Amino acid sequence: MTLELGVLLSGRGSNLQSILDAIACGALDARVRLVVSNRAEAQGLERARKAGIPSLFLDHRGYPDRSAYERELVQRLGAAGVEWVVLAGFMRIVTRELLGAFPERVVNIHPSLLPAFPGLDAQAQALAYGVAMTGCTVHLVDEGVDHGPILAQASLAVEPEDTRETLSARLLDREHALLVATLQRIAEGDLTVSPPADAGGRPRVSWRGGPPRA
Ligand code: GRF
């Protein structure tokens, strides 16, 4: 089935671009119905415009609280025909308002092998810690930060001469590939998400044919 995507972002939008490129070359069976940024200057908005994709700057500062902002977001996404939401560098914590509207259908990409190094600047965190391997994670979003069930991971060796910039650049290539591969496998119907095995547990993810690879 064709995935009807909404992409939320706050900045550069290179992950959005990789989705658009993959759709254009037939590697991803999806449509980007709407791109939303909470920052007016986000380069991702420009990328959407160039690709002829509907885009929207929705300023969170214009709303009394997170719920009110997300109610508007949900309304806009729903009206655009979005069925799956991708957080692609969206620098906001999301709440049950959005998650409840798209249950187990909100996906995030994070530049570390979660649960290591959640939060901001995961690449710098990995370097500071001195890990030999890092990577990226695509996961379902829950109410924790970079916390929900893992859909796919790709690993990458840290080189002795790596800086935050060189490591981030190499990781970004892996992110692009992993996000597109994961979305395509979802489009192919290979993902099953089951309820937690016990109360308070995490939803369980299984893939027909094994997890996506970058
Ligand atoms: C990526 O590193 C992603 O993993 C993180 O935010 C960054 C977004 O980059 N969540 P871009 O805006 O897609 O270029």
Side-chain angles (χ1 to χ4, degrees), residues 11-16 88-89 108-111 123 172 175-176:
R12 181 177 54 188
S14 70
N15 278 286
L16 167 68
N108 183 44
I109 171 90
H110 183 76
Q123 303 92 332
L172 200 56
E175 290 185 36
H176 295 161

Side-chain angles (χ1 to χ4, degrees), residues 196-202:
D198 37 42
R202 292 151 67 77

Side-chain angles (χ1 to χ4, degrees), residues 81-116:
V82 168
E83 291 175 358
W84 284 79
V85 177
V86 180
L87 308 185
F90 186 56
M91 302 303 283
R92 302 225 2 122
I93 294 167
V94 298
T95 73
R96 65 185 60 182
E97 204 74 55
L98 178 73
L99 300 174
F102 297 94
E104 317 300 0
R105 286 181 167 216
V106 182
V107 169
N108 183 44
I109 171 90
H110 183 76
S112 76
L113 292 176
L114 291 172

Side-chain angles (χ1 to χ4, degrees), residues 111-113 116-117 122-135 156-160 162 167 170-171:
S112 76
L113 292 176
F117 313 129
Q123 303 92 332
Q125 291 186 55
L127 280 178
Y129 199 96
V131 293
M133 298 293 296
T134 187
L156 183 75
V158 179
E159 304 297 341
D162 261 330
L167 182 61
R170 280 206 320 290
L171 255 180

